Amino acid sequence: HFVSSVAKKQLALLIELQGNARSRYLQDTSKMSAIASSSRYQAFGDGVPLGDPGWYQNLGTPYYNESHVKWRAKVREFVDTKVMPIAGDWDKQGSLGNHAKCKEYLQRLYKDCAQAGVLPAAVGAPWPCKFTDSPPPEGYDYFHELINMDEF
């Protein structure tokens, strides 16, 4: 009888703690939504708490500015139009050992990256001005580099 009353108390405490945790989670989620809706920039990504970088969800950062928004849009468009259409076949050709086709995809991607002005970002900050005619995004910094890695 003593064990069952202790077990009942522990179970009641556990249920209370779970309820409190759920309430805190819902409060935190609503706070995050309020912050995101009041942000200067549109949120993107999957919207999964702790699953995306904070700057994807507009959780407030002194580092992310309009230049970063534009750079992310540019790189995202490039990946969507130039990389995604060939990614599946590139992977398939690699698994089949068709190295000539993989090399063709790689060379085409290097050329497309250079023409789009996103290849220099692979080098990182500072922008390699003496090796490219592509202008850097305004205020190019490590955060732009991070966006580049994230989008690719």
Side-chain angles (χ1 to χ4, degrees):
H1 188 279
F2 173 75
V3 173
S4 66
S5 69
V6 170
K8 284 179 185 177
K9 287 180 183 177
Q10 288 178 338
L11 182 59
L13 180 60
L14 181 60
I15 290 170
E16 181 183 341
L17 290 174
Q18 286 177 333
N20 290 342
R22 187 176 190 300
S23 293
R24 279 195 307 276
Y25 172 77
L26 291 174
Q27 287 171 354
D28 290 347
T29 303
S30 88
K31 284 178 191 174
M32 288 170 53
S33 295
I35 291 169
S37 66
S38 68
S39 179
R40 299 182 302 180
Y41 309 111
Q42 181 180 354
F44 55 94
D46 296 325
V48 177
L50 304 176
D52 287 329
W55 51 270
Y56 267 36
Q57 299 175 20
N58 287 322
L59 294 180
T61 171
Y63 307 107
Y64 192 65
N65 60 44
E66 189 64 32
S67 176
H68 299 108
V69 171
K70 290 177 183 176
W71 183 251
R72 187 203 64 81
K74 178 179 181 168
V75 177
R76 171 68 57 99
E77 180 182 354
F78 177 82
V79 170
D80 285 347
T81 59
K82 299 291 185 176
V83 179
M84 295 310 292
I86 64 172
D89 190 53
W90 190 349
D91 190 43
K92 179 182 175 185
Q93 296 304 321
S95 67
L96 294 174
N98 188 350
H99 302 297
K101 186 66 175 175
C102 291
K103 183 178 179 180
E104 179 185 319
Y105 280 137
L106 184 62
Q107 288 174 335
R108 180 169 55 169
L109 188 60
Y110 279 146
K111 181 181 173 191
D112 290 345
C113 280
Q115 287 175 343
V118 296
L119 183 61
V123 176
W127 191 264
C129 292
K130 69 180 187 177
F131 300 107
T132 183
D133 293 334
S134 298
E138 183 182 335
Y140 184 75
D141 59 14
Y142 292 110
F143 209 67
H144 289 91
E145 181 182 356
L146 193 79
I147 292 167
N148 206 60
M149 289 186 283
D150 220 24
E151 291 298 322
F152 271 92

